[in-house]
Amino acid sequence: MPPIRYFLIVYDRRRGALLEDPPREFTDEDAAMAAYGNTERAHQDDRNVEVVLVGADSLDTVRRTHSNYFGSELSELLSGV
């Protein structure tokens, strides 16, 4: 089984787009959690921004399991464009 990697998704609902594309990736859980906390605090007053930390084997997996954050990029990925 591949090691778990952590992806920090910062999504703006108004724009329907990621604020950080691609999402920041971490291999260290503590560093990922610290970045998540800092990012949550940075956007705490903006109800339109979602901050999500996801553990997975790859960004491709995250794009499939959390496709609502990736919009048309997922369609292109799945169609092989």
Side-chain angles (χ1 to χ4, degrees):
M1 174 177 243
I4 296 293
R5 294 159 38 193
Y6 302 91
F7 299 90
L8 184 60
I9 297 170
V10 184
Y11 183 78
D12 185 329
R13 288 187 209 132
R14 274 184 307 239
R15 290 182 22 211
L18 296 173
L19 292 180
E20 300 180 13
D21 191 13
R24 280 187 278 167
E25 181 179 338
F26 301 86
T27 55
D28 180 77
E29 182 178 4
D30 292 334
M33 291 297 294
Y36 171 77
N38 290 337
T39 305
E40 274 281 319
R41 281 187 293 283
H43 295 284
Q44 68 185 358
D45 294 328
D46 190 344
R47 301 180 96 176
N48 290 303
V49 174
E50 292 182 44
V51 180
V52 180
L53 183 63
V54 179
D57 63 335
S58 70
L59 181 56
D60 287 341
T61 297
V62 174
R63 287 181 187 272
R64 284 192 307 276
T65 60
H66 293 74
S67 60
N68 55 308
Y69 295 116
F70 295 93
S72 63
E73 293 177 19
L74 179 66
S75 299
E76 292 171 8
L77 179 71
L78 294 176
S79 68
V81 172

